[in-house]
Amino acid sequence: MRGLPFDRSISMSPLPTSEACRCRDARPLGRLLRLSVLLLGLVAGQGALAQILGKAPKPDAAAPAATEPSTIAIAAIPQRADVDEAFIRDVVRRSSADATATALDRELELIRRNVDALDQKTFGDRLGTMPLINLETLDRYLGFLDRELQQWQSALQAAARPVSADAAALVQKRRLWLETQQAVAGDMVPALAQRIEELVKATAEAERSVSRPLTRLLKLGREGNALQTGVNNLAALVQARIAAIDRRLWQRDSDNLYTAVANADLRKKLDLSAFFEELRTKSDFIDEFDRSSRAVHNGVLVLALLLLPVILLLSVRAKKAFPSDPGLERHRKALTRPLSAWLLLTLSVLILVHFLGPSTRIKVLMMLAWLPIMRLQPDHIRSLFGRGIYFSGLFIALALLGQMITSMSLLFRVVVLVNSLCMLAVLGWLLWRLVVARRQRSSRTLRLLLNLLAAGCVALAVAVASNVIGNVTLAAMLTEATLSSAYAGLFLLASSNVVRGWLRFVTRPTTQRFNAGHLRTGGLLQVLSHLFELALFLAWLYRTLDAFRVLRPLQGWMEALFAFKLGFGNISVTVGGIVLFWVSVFLSFWVAKTVRGVLAEDVLPRMTLPRGVANSASTMTYYLLLTVGLMVALTAAGFELSQVTLLLGALSVGIGFGLQTVVNNFVSGLILMFERPIQPGDTVEVAGTIGTIRDIGMRATTFITFEGADVVVPNGMLLSEKLINWTLSTNTRRIDLPVGVAYGSDPAAVAQLLGQVADGTAGVARHPAPTVLFTGFGASSLDFSVRAWASFDDHIFVRSRMALAVHAALKDAGIEIPFPQQDLHLRSIEPGLFNPLKAKQS
């Protein structure tokens, strides 16, 4: 291919078969061949696999043959000939009308022209003189072309698959008819023989017809593989150059600023030819990316136009909802500025669409989002930074201008210096504002912003010094990275404010309805809020690390670290496997806990379920997710599930003998989950201890006594011991209040009085109604029993109120409550004791 010299290891000539197979995307014919070999290997390996498993395959004589018969019966020749002839006509029609190869050829030619143009721009030592910004643009362009080639090869494989199937079917049919012709040559009437001869000729002609598009597709596949190799090699050269610049980032790459200005040849430095050439490259990249993503781009714009009237209507309703919902006040800007919110959301989606596209387009979109970003900043950010955030628009414009004139080295250097000095002045002023604000009040957010601004000031100071002494690459990188990090933070804050405000307003009716029904809705909303905050932080961190040239070396170091192997005898694990195992375990616990909380608080309480099903379902889901997560963690660490199963089988004997109690409690926990005799919130009595169930685990159950103590009871004990559940079927409890009155009182009047007191006591249930029973004749009183029903949680207080009311009612009615009395009769007493008592009595 012209324009890709051999001395740069980029050859567009067809590769040998052994080398072509090592390309990142193999040829379509090679993939089909390997797929066929794989299928044959699977078929041939079935017998060996069955023998390993102890199930040898048994031949079945009655089973039909997997392939067609070698010949066709004479009686079936006419009907089979008509069917095959129709198939041949259909194949010829498809092969002559198929324009897929032409479209693929045009697409490949377009990609080839773009690759040739990029190769000409980097010919010779031009790649070594390119600034870092241009190299990043070139790397993005090559990545885009690589993805285009991969999509093109997928389309080529899809186009070649039916043509190859037709060719294979034609070969099989022609062989079948030739074998039939030879087998029944002497026993067939001339008409059938002529029919077979015509069909054989038609099949051969159809094969030639199919071979033309198939040959063209195979040729295109070879050309695409060669072009793919060229793109890969060129991308490797560009990435190697970027890595070399990153390694020499702290070394001088130019004269100091005074020498550069004094010795500058302005006519040469201000030559616009390189500027227009670079501008043409960026324009070509934008055009090609727009051509490939035009459908998605237009779809986003159509959805945005449809969303605009909806946002305007919701904004009008939101303004009316502020008096009735004070919680919306903190989102007033996002809800009352619908055009800014709509524009910011639209530009955010477009930036995601163009994330892998031209960086110039992304910077233009970010610049267009400046006005809505400023209008939608949260109030606390605006109060801290004041009008200083408005200078970000000037910095973005200078950065975009600098990116457009990278070919004019001196002018680019001056623009970078001016931008660095202006940003340093503004950040210094903002840092002073925050220091003053911190003296009045201190918070974690304020300390974080202070540290970030201080780091930005240091980076910009280094950028200014580097620019002056002659390290322009470092100066441009630090200036661009500081601006990108700060502006990305403002962008994400504004986007977060919009999303939170509109979600808060849209979900307001649902939240109010749930709160009115005393249903908890915080679990799911809190999880979604945390995930949204985490996503925003990761997006900002990714952009910051990439801008400061840390992301690529960090990825390389992490790959090298994770690939490091640790050997323990015959066992070998990698650091990456260990880290992935612990990360998987952590995520498993987090996901299981989150899902259980959401089910228990937000989902299951809103469903009509039998008693205890919600708790059992959420708990079983928790342990099921933990089990699946553990399996995934072991698989991620490099263990195979068969090995894990074998290990668990070997440990089962030890578990059965050494952990009998644990296994018993575990099985008992499962039984409690399914039978549901208790659930959290029930009041139970176990072994003389009364308390309220707090949590039912797989091994033990925890309940809290009325004294405030936490009691952990093994699940096996709950099934083997006597368990009293006071709230299993009902939440009411009977109160028995014994009352004794003096002999001589009217029992009927006393019973009526006690009944009236019980009916008038607050908290006593009306169904069943209170009853008064005359229980018998006591030693010193007539005994009654007042029986009433009350809520279990309140029965102690109801009993106390009823006892006080009974005492007051008996006192007002003049009915005496006796106490035990005994008379002492002395038969004899000593005179020394009797005389003093007699004298005292007299």
Side-chain angles (χ1 to χ4, degrees), residues 398-431:
L398 289 175
L400 185 59
L401 175 62
Q403 187 175 7
M404 300 300 295
I405 60 172
T406 52
S407 58
M408 305 177 185
S409 57
L410 182 59
L411 185 59
F412 169 73
R413 184 174 181 177
V414 172
V415 170
V416 171
L417 180 61
V418 171
N419 203 7
S420 302
L421 290 173
C422 294
M423 290 175 60
L424 182 60
V426 173
L427 288 187
W429 174 60
L430 293 178
L431 183 62

Side-chain angles (χ1 to χ4, degrees), residues 361-377:
R361 171 67 63 81
I362 296 178
K363 289 184 180 298
V364 171
L365 293 175
M366 294 287 286
M367 190 172 181
L368 292 176
W370 179 82
L371 182 59
I373 288 175
M374 296 300 105
R375 288 175 56 83
L376 296 173
Q377 282 301 313

Side-chain angles (χ1 to χ4, degrees), residues 50-69:
Q51 291 179 1
I52 293 175
L53 297 177
K55 298 179 181 179
K58 297 181 179 180
D60 188 1
T67 60
E68 292 189 3

Side-chain angles (χ1 to χ4, degrees), residues 385 387-389 391-392 394-395 416-433 453 456-461 464 479 482:
F385 291 153
R387 300 182 181 274
I389 58 176
F391 288 100
S392 58
L394 174 63
F395 304 149
V416 171
L417 180 61
V418 171
N419 203 7
S420 302
L421 290 173
C422 294
M423 290 175 60
L424 182 60
V426 173
L427 288 187
W429 174 60
L430 293 178
L431 183 62
W432 175 78
R433 281 177 59 94
L453 284 178
C457 290
V458 172
L460 290 173
V464 172
T479 304
T482 304

